[in-house]
Amino acid sequence: MRCGKCGGGTCHFHKTKEEQAQSLEKVSERLRSLPEYQQEAIADKYYGGVKKW
């Protein structure tokens, strides 16, 4: 859904800085848990070959 402006705390997608940091750490943990070949494929496709996790 795109509304064109940020609703801040009333938006269902809004996250605090702490929530965003936790979310990114969870993603990094998940990526690190994948087999090496899958990590490399993701890094190649989305991060220019660099593993940022």
Side-chain angles (χ1 to χ4, degrees):
M1 179 177 110
R2 296 188 74 151
C3 63
K5 61 181 178 177
C6 180
T10 61
C11 176
H12 296 289
F13 298 104
H14 181 265
K15 291 183 181 180
T16 65
K17 288 184 180 189
E18 294 81 19
E19 289 170 330
Q20 180 65 10
Q22 289 173 350
S23 180
L24 290 174
E25 181 55 33
K26 189 174 179 180
V27 168
S28 293
E29 286 177 19
R30 171 69 175 126
L31 288 169
R32 287 191 296 268
S33 75
L34 294 172
E36 189 65 29
Y37 74 92
Q38 284 183 317
Q39 290 186 46
E40 290 175 5
I42 291 169
D44 289 343
K45 185 170 185 174
Y46 297 105
Y47 299 99
V50 178
K51 288 193 255 178
K52 296 188 176 197
W53 52 90

